[in-house]
């Protein structure tokens, strides 16, 4: 499943998924909003996207990861719009026969998502705002 949503991502909504009997590993990665970055106090984030292209790029990443690490399950859910402190903006669920493949797949997916998927993050501080992922603010 690949999903881009404006809705809050609630982990409990995804915990009752049927576990593949061929999997010895089931990992959940949550990307959450922290209250600081670049030495500033963060109030909240806003994500924007070119949804059709983002879905296509996430699908490309997904197909590669499933093939390379022989994953039994891969779900990527990304939130757009306003995301408050401690809320989830990204959920990745991976299962595979062994844990190493799951860990490697999640690391690859997060890194590639940040590099090639057209989802843009703007941080709002107590003293202004900044787009993240630009040459001025690479985080």
């Amino acid at each position: 499943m690949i999903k881009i949503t404006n809705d809050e991502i609630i982990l409990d909504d995804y915990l009752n998924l049927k576990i593949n009997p061929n999997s010895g590993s089931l990992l959940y990665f949550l990307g959450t909003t922290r209250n600081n970055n670049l030495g500033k106090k963060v109030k909240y984030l806003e994500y924007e996207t070119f949804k059709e292209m983002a879905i296509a790029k996430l699908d490309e990443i997904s197909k590669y990861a499933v093939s390379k690490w022989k994953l039994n399950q891969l779900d990527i859910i990304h939130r757009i719009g306003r995301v408050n402190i401690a809320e989830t903006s990204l959920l990745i669920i991976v299962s595979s026969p062994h844990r190493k493949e799951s860990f490697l797949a999640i690391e690859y997916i997060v890194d590639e998502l940040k590099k090639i998927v057209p989802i843009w993050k703007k941080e709002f501080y107590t003293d202004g705002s900044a787009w993240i992922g630009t040459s001025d603010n690479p985080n």
Side-chain angles (χ1 to χ4, degrees):
M1 167 184 26
I2 295 173
K3 182 177 175 182
I4 295 177
T5 182
N6 287 90
D7 299 328
E8 187 174 355
I9 298 172
I10 309 293
L11 180 59
D12 287 348
D13 294 346
Y14 298 92
L15 289 179
N16 293 323
L17 300 175
K18 189 172 186 173
I19 295 174
N20 185 312
N22 294 316
S23 292
S25 170
L26 176 63
L27 296 181
Y28 292 81
F29 171 83
L30 295 171
T32 59
T33 303
R34 63 182 175 270
N35 66 3
N36 66 85
N37 192 31
L38 305 171
K40 296 182 177 203
K41 182 177 167 77
V42 176
K43 297 190 314 184
Y44 62 93
L45 304 178
E46 281 188 5
Y47 288 91
E48 293 183 12
T49 189
F50 174 15
K51 191 171 186 177
E52 294 79 13
M53 180 62 79
I55 294 285
K57 289 296 185 183
L58 288 170
D59 188 54
E60 183 182 306
I61 291 167
S62 177
K63 285 178 179 170
Y64 178 81
V66 167
S67 173
K68 179 167 178 67
W69 289 287
K70 309 294 186 257
L71 305 178
N72 295 321
Q73 175 185 348
L74 173 55
D75 298 313
I76 305 170
I77 301 97
H78 202 300
R79 185 171 170 191
I80 57 172
R82 182 176 171 143
V83 183
N84 293 316
I85 301 303
E87 290 183 343
T88 300
S89 55
L90 176 62
L91 169 61
I92 302 172
I93 305 167
V94 172
S95 74
S96 63
H98 304 283
R99 70 182 178 275
K100 184 175 183 177
E101 289 82 4
S102 292
F103 281 112
L104 291 170
I106 285 178
E107 182 177 26
Y108 166 80
I109 293 162
V110 172
D111 289 347
E112 285 301 297
L113 188 154
K114 288 180 171 269
K115 278 193 256 181
I116 69 167
V117 178
I119 297 175
W120 305 282
K121 177 171 70 171
K122 189 172 189 179
E123 290 185 336
F124 289 82
Y125 312 112
T126 53
D127 65 347
S129 63
W131 287 100
I132 303 299
T134 65
S135 57
D136 293 336
N137 294 308
N139 296 336

